[in-house]
Amino acid sequence: MYLDFIKTPFNNNPSMQKYSGDLISETPRSSYLEQKINQASLYGSDLYGETELFKQLNLLEKVEEKLKTNKHNSIKDLSFQIEEDIAVMHKGKLEAISFLFPSGWIPSKALGRNLSFLHNPVADNELLIRSGDKLSKYMCKHTIQRWVWNVTTIHALSNHPKVIRPEIVSFEKLFFRLETQLSTPLDPNSSLFLVLVEVFPLSEVWDSTILDSINSMSENILNYKKLTNIKKYLNSLKF
């Protein structure tokens, strides 16, 4: 696996790179889409929602044009047809979201909020908060890509707050969670945000750079990512 996005020392700076490839998977996996439907049945409106402004501005139509999809009644319905989770920002605020595989938060509670609010729970977030307005404007001008990763005991794609986190029992029961995040402009004031969530057995992707990066994390980040005990466990192993 390509792991160049794993940095040492680790930091939460909004490092992104310009992107010119496909925005969504051309042939979404049916098993993946079935998991989305299952999550919606479990957590319902926790995972999706739209503001009135999103509807008034017909932003769903712009999303469909950008992704070259069929017409849908809602952002939720569209998200069931693609692998990627999806959100729309307008003038720096979240106006629609359908995140079926959230990472420890409830997506619908962020509607109407800006990037600074969205990044507020993140550990060591000072630069993220300060750059919120600038980043929102940049997202309306360029297509950009970044990666967010973690090591976890949760095998599922969803990390909804209600998902039970298993105890550490073995290296084979640890997993590498990867979010590939894309942002692309919809118009001068709006941007589309896409997240492809993947989970791999840690043993299949293991590289020493993963542990090096974890060992460089601050205590705040380790606690935020729930990596404190995983760090201790990995350092106890003989690779």
Side-chain angles (χ1 to χ4, degrees), residues 101-107 121 150 154 157-163 165 177 179 224 226:
F101 305 131
S103 180
W105 59 299
I106 297 179
N150 201 4
I154 298 175
L157 293 169
S158 174
N159 277 198
H160 186 283
K162 291 182 181 177
V163 171
R165 189 175 299 272
R177 189 176 197 272
E179 295 184 7
Y224 168 70
K226 295 180 172 54

Side-chain angles (χ1 to χ4, degrees), residues 125-144:
N125 61 4
E126 293 81 4
L127 184 56
L128 282 169
I129 298 254
R130 289 200 307 270
S131 63
D133 290 342
K134 183 178 179 181
L135 182 56
S136 294
K137 294 176 182 177
Y138 191 82
M139 290 165 64
C140 294
K141 297 177 181 179
H142 305 282
T143 299
I144 49 182

